[in-house]
Amino acid sequence: MGSTSGAAERAKPVTGNARPARRRLSVDRRREELMAAALELFSRRDAEYVSIDDVASAAGASRALVYHYFGGKQELYVAALKSAAAQLEARLRPQGDGRPLAELADGLSRYFDFVEEHAAGFAALLKGGPANSSGEIGEVVDAVRHRLLKLIMKQMRVEEPGPVLRVTLRSWIASVETAGLDWLERRDIERPALERMLVGQMVALLGAAAEHDPQVAELLDDLVRDRASRPDRHGPEADGQEGP
């Protein structure tokens, strides 16, 4: 009887708060799931308040498995941010060889596609910025911003920006980042309107900088002349407004 009772006991289904059975996944897929869970947590809380146990629970994995793949929380944080950065940069690769402002608007649209589709990754990436600007984390965020600067320079046919233009472009990138975070939090402005506003801000910033630097003045003249000769759906004309 004791043997039968033991067998019956072992046959009982698992109930209560037991962890769901883990799926057998490839190494790459499991790493992706762990990083996705980490990004979601890091987007909502500072990294110091997220534990390995939190990540394991969110991913339906064991604590030991997280350590097996990443070694520790810092390694996981850096890997997750690098993953988000790589996805964003892939979205921003030039799609054509059109007009500078049209290319800028197209790139901005792809940027906000990423913001919308990968909200956790975007938020975690930017929140890994100024407050955590040292070491590998700061390097990941700075690399993204440097890449954005290079892409904008390429779109505007600028090989080497002077100090005034460099500061202007970096200021605009910071504005776009802030707008992305604000839009994710509130969503009280339509995305197309926000994107057009940001393109307009670029033109306005260049206008202010042009008063201090001939390089910027020449660039702005070229941009305005090009847009006036071939208006496109991204400029102020799309809203029935006059251009600069």
Side-chain angles (χ1 to χ4, degrees), residues 12 14 32-34 41 50 64 68-69 77 85 100 124 146 158 178 182-183 195 198 209 218 224-225:
K12 286 182 179 180
V14 177
E32 288 173 5
E33 286 203 347
L34 291 172
L41 292 169
V50 177
H68 171 72
Y69 281 113
Y77 189 26
H146 183 71
V158 174
T178 302
D182 184 85
W183 184 79
E195 291 173 14
L198 288 169
E218 182 178 354
V224 172
R225 189 182 310 113

Side-chain angles (χ1 to χ4, degrees), residues 180-191:
L181 288 172
D182 184 85
W183 184 79
L184 276 180
E185 180 183 351
R186 303 174 185 275
R187 295 182 186 254
D188 53 1
I189 180 173
E190 295 294 325
R191 232 190 82 180

Side-chain angles (χ1 to χ4, degrees), residues 14 35 55 58-59 85 93 98 108 133-134 198 223 225:
V14 177
M35 287 190 290
V55 175
R93 288 171 187 151
L108 194 59
S133 58
S134 61
L198 288 169
L223 294 177
R225 189 182 310 113

